[in-house]
């Protein structure tokens, strides 16, 4: 998901999303399910690799409950052990 970095933001700070399918889906989900969200950049720009049972990157932020969700990340055997994946496109098509 592409984004712009807000001026003066520290590494891993708030970002502004650019128009994309992911952005539109999340916007519709937020409106439909009545929730708000913020976009934060992962400081090291990593998706996440397992190291001794702990993940780095975005998966690590989910595992350590520093984030509630992330945009599209491919499921791998290791990631499936700590992340619950959903098929959110079906939610929109059926609502």
């Amino acid at each position: 998901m592409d984004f712009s970095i807000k001026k003066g933001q520290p590494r891993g700070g708030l970002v502004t999303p650019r128009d994309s399918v992911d952005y539109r889906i999340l916007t519709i989900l937020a409106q439909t399910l009545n929730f708000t969200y913020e976009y934060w950049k992962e400081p090291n720009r990593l998706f996440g690799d397992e190291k001794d049972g702990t993940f780095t990157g975005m998966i690590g932020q989910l595992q350590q409950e520093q984030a509630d969700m992330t945009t599209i990340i491919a499921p791998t055997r290791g990631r499936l052990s700590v992340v619950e994946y959903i098929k959110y496109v079906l939610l929109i098509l059926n609502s």
Side-chain angles (χ1 to χ4, degrees):
M1 186 167 176
D2 199 14
F3 55 84
S4 300
I5 299 172
K6 293 183 179 182
K7 291 182 181 182
Q9 285 293 317
R11 186 175 179 176
L14 283 168
V15 297
T16 302
R18 292 192 176 138
D19 189 36
S20 67
V21 172
D22 289 340
Y23 173 73
R24 291 178 185 196
I25 289 171
L26 188 54
T27 300
I28 291 169
L29 280 174
Q31 291 169 351
T32 303
L33 301 175
N34 194 29
F35 66 87
T36 60
Y37 57 89
E38 296 176 324
Y39 284 90
W40 291 81
K41 178 182 171 189
E42 201 289 316
N44 300 308
R45 298 192 66 124
L46 298 173
F47 289 113
D49 293 315
E50 185 178 7
K51 295 182 180 178
D52 300 322
T54 302
F55 279 81
T56 60
M58 290 185 281
I59 298 296
Q61 289 179 354
L62 291 170
Q63 183 185 35
Q64 297 159 29
E65 298 182 2
Q66 297 170 339
D68 296 316
M69 65 175 288
T70 185
T71 55
I72 297 174
I73 295 178
T76 63
R77 180 169 291 185
R79 292 174 185 168
L80 286 170
S81 67
V82 295
V83 175
E84 182 178 339
Y85 286 84
I86 62 170
K87 295 181 181 179
Y88 58 84
V89 174
L90 295 177
L91 294 173
I92 293 171
L93 295 176
N94 291 325
S95 62

